[in-house]
Amino acid sequence: MRFDQHTLVLFSRPADAPELPRDAADLLHDTHLAHQAGLVEQGLVLAAGPFVDPDDPSLRGLAVLPISPDEARELYANDPAVRAGQLVVRVASWLVPEGNVRYESVGVPRSMLEAAAGD
């Protein structure tokens, strides 16, 4: 059997994340979303999104990439929320039977306002 290999990036909030004023946290969240959207537009991210009601409240989201784990680590080292200490990433390779998972190109929000609009 043949397998497709993807890279998974798991986002979590570290226990020692610095506290930010609400407006600064909102701005940082928007810059994180814009960074993610830019990676999607470049074809470097196949799918990404936040978790809702995870068992571990530090878990924030997941991204699936068609690149190597080292390349993914490098990309997310430049994520504004990672640089600010609000998120940490864990990276792993994921093997699935060839053709089992397919991704379609869809737009992603570049800000919380755009995400809330639902368009």
Side-chain angles (χ1 to χ4, degrees):
M1 177 176 280
R2 299 180 126 176
F3 290 87
D4 291 328
Q5 183 172 338
H6 303 284
T7 295
L8 299 182
V9 175
L10 181 67
F11 299 93
S12 61
R13 180 174 166 85
D16 61 350
E19 289 298 319
L20 298 174
R22 184 66 187 180
D23 58 338
D26 289 346
L27 179 60
L28 187 59
H29 197 175
D30 282 351
T31 60
H32 164 72
L33 291 175
H35 179 262
Q36 186 83 291
L39 297 177
V40 169
E41 290 164 1
Q42 294 174 59
L44 298 171
V45 172
L46 300 171
F51 292 130
V52 178
D53 298 325
D55 287 341
D56 178 348
S58 72
L59 295 177
R60 295 298 194 222
L62 176 78
V64 181
L65 297 85
I67 59 177
S68 75
D70 287 339
E71 292 170 305
R73 284 182 193 94
E74 187 176 325
L75 289 176
Y76 284 103
N78 292 315
D79 184 297
V82 172
R83 287 194 330 254
Q86 295 297 304
L87 292 176
V88 294
V89 295
R90 291 184 175 84
V91 178
S93 292
W94 179 43
L95 298 177
V96 294
E98 186 176 55
N100 188 269
V101 178
R102 299 190 192 283
Y103 301 92
E104 293 186 31
S105 179
V106 296
V108 295
R110 298 187 74 82
S111 69
M112 289 303 297
L113 183 61
E114 193 174 315
D119 294 335

